[in-house]
Amino acid sequence: MSNNTTTAKQQEVKRIVDVLSKAIAQHRLRPGARLIEAQIVEALNANRNHVQVALQRLAMQRIVTIEPNRGAMVAQPTAKEAREIFIARRAIERAIVEVITPEMMRRHRHRVTTHLCKEREATNSTDRRAIVRELSEFHLVLGEICGNEVLSEVLANLMVRSSLIVALYQRNDVPSCQSDEHQAIVDALEAGENARAVTVMIEHLHDLEAQLELEEQSGNEVNLRQALADL
Ligand SMILES: [Zn+2]
């Protein structure tokens, strides 16, 4: 295979990975949804082999699960995995917020302002997909601004998996991030107060985790009794 063909194939696989990740992150595809190859081929006007490679890549990223004889489906992270993802996010997002300088914030001011505006617009609406999309986009924007591609790549993976967790474990229908906490992080970074930005970010991530129902189930018998109690 020539280099050009390899590159074209890689680009096409990346396109399919990106579209599927986005659909999963925006809850267009829910945890456990079947990902039927033939349908993806048709919907994305793609080649079957490229779709297979894309699904394998998403499986390595723990965004998709592939079961022998049953095919691919959107992953359903366990409560344990959810807690581990939040621990990882606190480590990664702390590192991101630590390296962002006021000069980086100045260079990306337009991007940040535009984003916070779209975020407020979304949270004032009832469009749940837009709310989920814009609130998680904020974290990705900080990942890009920090200029460390490894940190932003790891974060991108954790953000898609966080969307799966929100879809599975969110206690109620409230948006998972608070816009004013995002604004407080931006204010601290613009002022060069990185320690304060880290504190707000860590608290923010603890708040998000607290909105999830991640307690271990204490045996099916008890749950069944509770579930049937008031009927
Ligand atoms: Zn947030």
Side-chain angles (χ1 to χ4, degrees):
M1 205 187 279
S2 79
N3 273 342
N4 278 343
T5 324
T6 313
T7 312
K9 179 182 171 178
Q10 280 167 354
Q11 280 172 353
E12 179 58 4
V13 169
K14 186 179 182 302
R15 175 181 78 95
I16 301 164
V17 166
D18 288 349
V19 172
L20 289 174
S21 300
K22 206 182 255 184
I24 292 168
Q26 294 182 16
H27 296 171
R28 288 162 190 262
L29 293 170
R30 311 277 301 179
R34 316 268 299 141
L35 298 168
I36 297 157
E37 267 173 36
Q39 290 179 2
I40 300 171
V41 165
E42 199 188 310
L44 299 183
N45 193 17
N47 158 313
R48 193 173 192 105
N49 172 258
H50 294 165
V51 170
Q52 282 169 351
V53 176
L55 288 172
Q56 280 157 9
R57 190 166 301 171
L58 287 165
M60 281 170 64
Q61 297 174 9
R62 311 273 178 139
I63 292 167
V64 159
T65 310
I66 298 176
E67 288 178 6
N69 306 322
R70 293 195 60 210
M73 65 176 86
V74 179
Q76 295 173 290
T78 61
K80 176 176 181 285
E81 189 179 339
R83 280 192 296 268
E84 289 172 353
I85 286 169
F86 270 94
I87 292 169
R89 276 190 64 181
R90 283 192 284 275
I92 294 294
E93 299 198 56
R94 164 192 285 274
I96 286 171
V97 162
E98 272 172 353
V99 298
I100 295 177
T101 62
E103 145 57 18
M104 289 174 187
M105 292 301 284
R106 265 195 297 282
R107 223 183 310 145
H108 293 93
R109 173 163 281 157
H110 181 67
R111 177 92 208 272
V112 174
T113 319
T114 315
H115 172 75
L116 287 175
C117 230
K118 276 168 74 181
E119 192 177 293
R120 251 173 246 122
E121 223 170 81
T123 49
N124 287 332
S125 77
T126 52
D127 183 349
R128 262 196 67 75
R129 268 182 202 162
I131 296 172
V132 170
R133 182 184 65 228
E134 297 305 331
L135 290 175
S136 79
E137 177 77 12
F138 173 77
H139 295 261
L140 296 169
V141 168
L142 291 186
E144 282 168 36
I145 290 176
C146 89
N148 181 324
E149 280 182 30
V150 177
L151 287 176
S152 69
E153 260 175 41
V154 175
L155 180 67
N157 171 262
L158 292 174
M159 290 309 293
V160 178
R161 294 165 77 184
S162 291
S163 291
L164 290 175
I165 292 167
V166 167
L168 284 168
Y169 299 108
Q170 187 81 14
R171 261 178 231 278
N172 42 39
D173 229 22
V174 295
S176 50
C177 287
Q178 294 295 322
S179 241
D180 48 351
E181 291 177 331
H182 288 176
Q183 182 69 58
I185 294 167
V186 168
D187 292 345
L189 289 173
E190 283 178 346
E193 295 175 18
N194 294 63
R196 180 158 63 95
V198 168
T199 306
V200 180
M201 178 60 93
I202 299 291
E203 266 173 35
H204 176 55
L205 292 173
H206 276 296
D207 287 350
L208 296 189
E209 189 176 356
Q211 290 172 24
L212 306 172
E213 193 109 47
L214 297 178
E215 291 81 20
E216 292 304 340
Q217 305 283 334
S218 57
N220 292 333
E221 197 193 333
V222 176
N223 289 335
L224 190 60
R225 219 182 285 145
Q226 274 176 355
L228 302 177
D230 299 325
L231 298 175

